[in-house]
Amino acid sequence: MIPARPATQYLHQAHYGNMGGVHTLKPFFEMRNNGIYKSDYHPEGKSAVPLYNVRHDQVFATSAHPNGASQHALYEIRGDKMHTTSHHPEHNPAGPAFILKPHL
């Protein structure tokens, strides 16, 4: 049986240089209710609507995403890490894009 995810998880950047060279120890995104939202720490500010939807362990862009909704998953959640898929424009198979943490 797969353990349930915490109600809210925070997405921390896995590597320096993400998001246009900005890196912070604070999470840029938060995942809740099967949606991923910009957090208070995102350079563009907090979002009221989700930029991504989570279906099982696949992450898809919504119509609120700057590039529009995606047909194919852009990210895949594996344990406590979120990896880009081959459909992501900056796909990097070498490691995760984000680390998921249940608290700040």
Side-chain angles (χ1 to χ4, degrees):
M1 182 174 195
I2 299 171
R5 284 195 192 105
T8 301
Q9 287 188 294
Y10 298 92
L11 283 69
H12 294 264
Q13 294 172 285
H15 304 285
Y16 286 95
N18 284 0
M19 297 291 294
V22 175
H23 189 278
T24 178
L25 294 176
K26 299 292 185 180
F28 277 166
F29 297 96
E30 62 183 64
M31 180 170 55
R32 56 186 152 77
N33 300 327
N34 294 323
I36 296 177
Y37 301 77
K38 292 179 192 173
S39 77
D40 289 327
Y41 306 105
H42 194 282
E44 297 173 4
K46 190 171 186 163
S47 62
V49 295
L51 296 182
Y52 299 95
N53 279 328
V54 180
R55 293 182 228 146
H56 304 287
D57 286 334
Q58 304 290 310
V59 180
F60 299 81
T62 68
S63 59
H65 190 279
N67 295 331
S70 63
Q71 279 185 299
H72 303 285
L74 299 177
Y75 296 95
E76 178 181 45
I77 299 171
R78 295 186 223 146
D80 65 346
K81 295 177 176 61
M82 198 160 100
H83 298 260
T84 58
T85 68
S86 60
H87 299 288
H88 192 285
E90 297 175 23
H91 175 55
N92 179 2
F98 295 98
I99 307 295
L100 303 172
K101 295 184 181 183
H103 55 79
L104 288 175

